[in-house]
Each structure stands twice: as structure tokens, then as C-alpha cells.
Amino acid sequence: VSFASVGGSGNVNYRAEFNPIDKERTATISVGGQEFVVVQAPGGPAITKEGVVNAASYLGGPVAPGEIISIFGQGLGPKKAATYQLTADRRRFATEVAGTRVLFDGIPAPIIATSDAQVSAIVPYEVAGRTTTQMRLEYNGVLSSAVTLDVASTAPGIFTQDMSGKGLAAIINWDANPDRWTVNTAANRAARNGYVMIFATGEGQTNPAGDTGALAAGTAAQLPRPREAVTVTIGGQRANVTYAGAAPGMVSGLLQINAQVPANAPTGDAVPVVVTIGNRTSQAGVVMAVR
């Protein structure tokens, strides 16, 4: 890292990158004809409680059954990111991708994506009713230390278009004339009294009970719905929620909310949007465009 020319003794500072393999490795530093051998212990996955966040809001806190989360750390997966895989029957997300697994009290979680520094996964519905859960991450057969996470019945977060947890929400407008769907932007504002589709996560246990990792299928009446009440406010005004439940064809844990923009909603390019599920609300700083 650094070395200054000296007359006599001096210091050589070195740094070793995280060791992602399950064996120790060595290196030799040579200075002025003298050799120093560095022996680095096996790394294994390194995670912390603070590195576990809601994948929509990027905020920490309690996790909820079915919540899509992101886990940050070191040695979590391959250097080149790998995305989800479907099981042989094509009906659910696999619980192991590129050697990465995430376990909640020993229950494997569906994996959405994995890389060296970040893993996205879905909290198993089996944690419902628990107050805490022990989470461990496994990569290539090596387990991390366990972290204890609090469990809540809901932990809502709204997905945003730039995946930062703030700014324009992941919202699709329905325009009656012409009949089409458009992404909500400053150039494509939602109309008052018009309908929008909001995407979120953290709704908690559902009716019927959530099927961990399953792709949502069936008629509208058969799709899982949150057990706790879902409300939406747009610009501080209560919106009429016409549907809140699984997004058809998508993995369980992705919540789709269809709502009608209030007639008295404020207009502009940054109108606040808040989703409340049970007694918990989504993150601040999420907006939409209304005309």
C-alpha cells in the first residue's frame, strides 16, 4: 500500500483483499532482499445485521414473511453476478444459485441474484409468527456466522425506477384514451381519477398462505392477497385501492397494487406516494407524476 525511502529502518504497509475461498492462501513480500510470507485464513461469507435491507427501500429493520431483501457483505457469491434460476418444474425460484444459499432458521430462501458483494433473496413465509430469525449465508459450502433479525408482520417498501429507494416509484399508468399502459414519468403523468399500478414488497403473510418462491398463478380471485389492510395515499390524499396482491406470473413476494388517483390529488412531477400495510408504512421520498 505504501513505502517511503528511509535511511535505516522503516515501515512497509500492505493490504490483502478478502479471501473468498475455503482454504488459506499465501503470498510473499520481498523488500531489499528480505522476504515476508503472509498467510491469510479462509474468508467465507461475511455478513452483518446492518447489511440486510429491504430490496425496495434499501432500509434496514425487521424483515417480513415474503419480503424481497438485499444482503450486502463480502464473499457472498461469484465475482460475476448470477441471476435467478427456475426449478425443474418451472414453477418457482431455486434456493441455490451459483453456489449461494441463504438460510432462515435453516429454511432455504429463493435467490433472485447473487454476486461477491450483494445477494437478493426472498424471506421464506415460514418465518411468519416468529419474533426473530437466524439468517446465515452459504457460498460454496462455507457458512457465514449467524445474524439475528427481528421479524415483523409487514415491512412495506415501494420499488423505485432507479432502484435507489427514492425518487420516481415503479408505477405504471393506465390511460383510458388511448387504452394503453405507460411508465409514470414527468413526460407520462398519471391523470386524476385515472388508475395506476404500484410495485412493492414486504406485505407479509397472505391469504391463501404464501408459497415460498412460487410464481403467482391462477385467476384474480385465486391470487394471494395480504392478510393485513393495504392503503395508499397520493399527495396526502387517500387513493381507492382496487387490487392488492401477487403480481401475476411474477415471484411471490412482489406486491402489485392497483389504485385510483384521487380527484383532489396535487399535480406535479414529484407527488409523494405512501403505501401502508397493517400499521407500517413505506419509505419517505418516493414520488410519482400527476397531471
Side-chain angles (χ1 to χ4, degrees):
V1 176
S2 64
F3 172 71
S5 178
V6 296
S9 63
N11 293 325
V12 174
N13 300 311
Y14 69 90
R15 179 178 64 236
E17 290 189 356
F18 180 78
N19 181 3
I21 61 177
D22 60 353
K23 300 177 182 178
E24 68 178 25
R25 60 183 181 179
T26 62
T28 302
I29 301 173
S30 298
V31 181
Q34 300 180 79
E35 291 191 344
F36 175 66
V37 177
V38 180
V39 180
Q40 187 180 27
I47 58 174
T48 64
K49 179 178 180 179
E50 292 71 25
V52 181
V53 299
N54 182 296
S57 68
Y58 282 92
L59 297 178
V63 297
E67 179 187 352
I68 302 173
I69 61 170
S70 288
I71 306 162
F72 293 92
Q74 289 182 302
L76 311 183
K79 291 289 186 182
K80 184 178 180 181
T83 55
Y84 72 92
Q85 297 175 0
L86 296 180
T87 54
D89 61 8
R90 314 291 293 177
R91 294 182 178 180
R92 65 185 62 245
F93 276 26
T95 56
E96 181 174 348
V97 174
T100 299
R101 294 201 308 158
V102 180
L103 306 171
F104 289 81
D105 296 329
I107 302 166
I111 303 294
I112 296 174
T114 177
S115 67
D116 176 63
Q118 180 180 353
V119 171
S120 294
I122 304 170
V123 179
Y125 286 101
E126 287 84 349
V127 306
R130 304 179 189 184
T131 56
T132 62
T133 182
Q134 297 282 310
M135 189 193 83
R136 302 182 78 180
L137 191 144
E138 179 185 278
Y139 180 52
N140 285 343
V142 181
L143 280 167
S144 71
S145 299
V147 295
T148 301
L149 303 175
D150 294 326
V151 178
S153 59
T154 69
I158 301 174
F159 285 99
T160 58
Q161 293 181 30
D162 64 2
M163 296 301 291
S164 69
K166 294 186 179 295
L168 277 172
I171 289 180
I172 299 176
N173 312 321
W174 177 64
D175 295 318
N177 188 21
D179 184 3
R180 62 174 184 172
W181 294 97
T182 59
V183 176
N184 183 268
T185 64
N188 291 298
R189 298 183 182 184
R192 287 173 167 175
N193 288 322
Y195 292 87
V196 294
M197 189 183 297
I198 305 166
F199 293 96
T201 191
E203 71 270 32
Q205 187 55 280
T206 60
N207 276 322
D211 185 359
T212 299
L215 300 180
T219 65
Q222 296 170 327
L223 291 171
R225 311 286 182 99
R227 289 186 178 178
E228 301 198 31
V230 177
T231 61
V232 175
T233 61
I234 298 175
Q237 304 300 313
R238 183 78 169 262
N240 176 32
V241 175
T242 59
Y243 173 80
M250 305 301 286
V251 70
S252 297
L254 178 63
L255 175 65
Q256 176 182 320
I257 304 170
N258 298 348
Q260 185 177 23
V261 180
N264 57 347
T267 59
D269 296 338
V271 179
V273 182
V274 177
V275 170
T276 301
I277 307 177
N279 61 0
R280 291 180 176 270
T281 59
S282 59
Q283 74 272 29
V286 178
V287 299
M288 64 177 291
V290 179
R291 70 174 190 267

